[in-house]
Amino acid sequence: MAELFSNCPGRIKFEMAAPKPTPRFISKERGKITALPLYCDGFVLKKHTGEKDFKRYFAELRGSTIFLYSDEENATYSEKLELQNLKSMDTGSLKRKYISADFTLTLLNEEVRLKIENPDAGEEWKGFILTVAKLEIPSKLQLLPGQLLRLKEVLKEEKERQARQPVPVNEQEPPEAYDDVITNVPQCFYVVSRNKAIEMLAESPEFGNMILRPGSEKMNFAVTVRQLLTDGPTIKHYKVMSVENGFSIALDNPVTVCSLCDVAGHFVKESNGYLRPYIQPHTYATIIDQPAVLSGGKDQQKRQIPQAVVSPMIQTPTPPTQSSANEYLEVDYINGDGKPADLLQATVTHHTEIFLRDIASSF
């Protein structure tokens, strides 16, 4: 019967679509990928300092990390923010408090602005972020008793999780592991933060408009570019991940290249030469300068030589010894004609005056 029905010329073929994953299934998949407990989630608007527009993400706070997803149904995160690197959190002005929650996170190597359209949800996000980052509940929070109770539970769970956390992988790796990756780097590679790269590109556009730098995750990199558009300069950042056979540029259609030099070359090629590697010129001195000689000559230079400071030596004056009435000193006196003169007698007195007289005349 089934065969007859299938061979019927007027048969309509139905194809069932794959079942749509449920939110619970997606959350479970994210838990497997991150291996961290979920504390808070919701939609946020995010942008880095220097970027013009906010971008919408679905965010999850798992452990002490905020994972950002392109949408609710994506199980793989596109970015993450490590809150253990949080230095400060600016909650913005009070005028915007009743419209939306807007705060700036200053992390180790970057500064991120987050905006949450619901101010009540923003206050809850603020409490969770500061609790897992500082491992203490903030004193000034406008939350309901149930929300504060949840924060206490999260604080206890996070303290226990961090206490049994294993040694980070980057401390177990040999120190030369990272050096092997960056042995072949282009001239536009600089070990700077995201904000420093933005500053360098803005201050010296004549050197180029593209910088390759270390990423927020170990063994990964980032490309920061500055483009001049009709409405002003625009900053963009691209993630470059280390993979088994080279480096993968995280684009809509990922591109894998062999080396970091090829990463820079790909951006130059795809922009038709508009993007130029940022290369600072190396200047060298051509004259060896001599120190200026101080006026005053050698005496002044001698006075500048450090000398040891010693206590003066105190000597007891020796009384003069009593001498005989007359002491005689014999000298050879030569006349003008070169012949020896008569012996002269010198009388030495205690007043150190010497009187010479001709011995011959005394007789």
Side-chain angles (χ1 to χ4, degrees):
M1 184 69 179
E3 293 180 0
L4 291 175
F5 183 77
S6 62
N7 293 329
C8 180
R11 181 180 65 89
I12 300 176
K13 185 177 180 181
F14 293 96
E15 293 184 1
M16 295 186 63
K20 188 177 181 180
T22 62
R24 183 175 181 180
F25 174 82
I26 296 174
S27 179
K28 187 178 292 186
E29 288 297 309
R30 291 171 178 168
K32 292 179 181 178
I33 295 173
T34 62
L36 292 171
L38 176 63
Y39 297 146
C40 184
D41 62 4
F43 284 99
V44 300
L45 299 174
K46 187 223 69 164
K47 75 172 184 177
H48 288 92
T49 302
E51 294 180 344
K52 186 176 181 180
D53 300 320
F54 282 93
K55 190 174 180 180
R56 186 179 176 86
Y57 291 92
F58 185 80
E60 286 188 344
L61 175 60
R62 290 181 175 272
S64 58
T65 305
I66 297 178
F67 294 92
L68 301 173
Y69 301 87
S70 58
D71 54 53
E72 267 184 301
E73 300 178 358
N74 200 333
T76 305
Y77 66 90
S78 55
E79 292 186 44
K80 68 178 182 177
L81 305 174
E82 294 290 349
L83 296 179
Q84 285 185 334
N85 298 328
L86 182 67
K87 293 183 177 180
S88 63
M89 181 179 183
D90 182 12
T91 56
S93 64
L94 295 175
K95 293 181 179 180
R96 289 178 275 172
K97 184 175 181 181
Y98 301 101
I99 302 174
S100 63
D102 187 350
F103 38 81
T104 302
L105 304 179
T106 302
L107 304 175
L108 186 62
N109 294 319
E110 57 185 346
E111 194 174 81
V112 182
R113 281 187 63 188
L114 294 179
K115 182 183 290 186
I116 300 171
E117 297 173 346
N118 186 329
D120 295 331
E123 186 72 8
E124 189 175 11
W125 269 100
K126 174 186 172 182
F128 278 107
I129 290 175
L130 292 176
T131 297
V132 300
K134 306 300 182 181
L135 291 182
E136 61 180 11
I137 298 177
S139 57
K140 298 180 180 180
L141 285 177
Q142 298 180 359
L143 296 177
L144 298 173
Q147 293 172 320
L148 291 174
L149 181 61
R150 174 60 181 154
L151 279 183
K152 293 180 181 179
E153 295 173 352
V154 167
L155 177 61
K156 180 181 178 181
E157 185 175 353
E158 185 62 16
K159 282 184 176 180
E160 294 176 353
R161 186 192 70 84
Q162 292 191 20
R164 62 176 183 269
Q165 196 172 8
V167 179
V169 177
N170 56 355
E171 295 183 9
Q172 296 176 346
E173 294 177 352
E176 65 273 6
Y178 190 77
D179 296 336
D180 293 339
V181 176
I182 63 173
T183 51
N184 184 22
V185 296
Q187 288 182 285
C188 61
F189 176 77
Y190 297 91
V191 184
V192 295
S193 65
R194 177 190 290 251
N195 292 337
K196 182 61 177 178
I198 296 173
E199 180 183 333
M200 292 168 62
L201 294 175
E203 290 182 352
S204 305
E206 67 276 12
F207 295 160
N209 54 9
M210 177 179 64
I211 286 179
L212 177 66
R213 57 181 177 81
S216 57
E217 302 175 22
K218 185 174 176 61
M219 307 299 287
N220 288 345
F221 300 85
V223 175
T224 299
V225 301
R226 185 176 187 267
Q227 297 172 290
L228 293 177
L229 304 179
T230 55
D231 55 348
T234 300
I235 299 293
K236 290 185 178 181
H237 308 277
Y238 299 89
K239 181 183 290 186
V240 180
M241 298 175 290
S242 299
V243 294
E244 185 177 356
N245 56 342
F247 300 91
S248 177
I249 307 173
L251 303 172
D252 290 338
N253 296 318
V255 176
T256 301
V257 294
C258 297
S259 67
L260 291 175
C261 291
D262 295 335
V263 170
H266 178 79
F267 280 88
V268 174
K269 179 181 177 181
E270 290 299 314
S271 64
N272 293 324
Y274 176 79
L275 294 179
R276 297 176 293 108
Y278 182 94
I279 301 175
Q280 291 179 334
H282 299 285
T283 57
Y284 297 92
T286 58
I287 299 176
I288 301 176
D289 297 326
Q290 296 183 356
V293 179
L294 299 175
S295 59
K298 295 182 178 180
D299 294 339
Q300 185 171 354
Q301 291 184 358
K302 287 182 180 180
R303 285 197 296 271
Q304 293 179 347
I305 299 175
Q307 297 181 355
V309 179
V310 297
S311 301
M313 181 179 295
I314 301 176
Q315 296 181 348
T316 304
T318 305
T321 57
Q322 189 70 25
S323 60
S324 60
N326 296 319
E327 293 180 355
Y328 297 92
L329 174 67
E330 294 185 356
V331 297
D332 292 331
Y333 183 77
I334 307 299
N335 288 327
D337 56 1
K339 295 181 180 180
D342 296 331
L343 182 64
L344 299 178
Q345 180 178 351
T347 303
V348 182
T349 68
H350 293 298
H351 298 287
T352 67
E353 295 180 357
I354 301 176
F355 301 91
L356 299 178
R357 66 172 181 264
D358 192 336
I359 297 178
S361 63
S362 64
F363 290 99

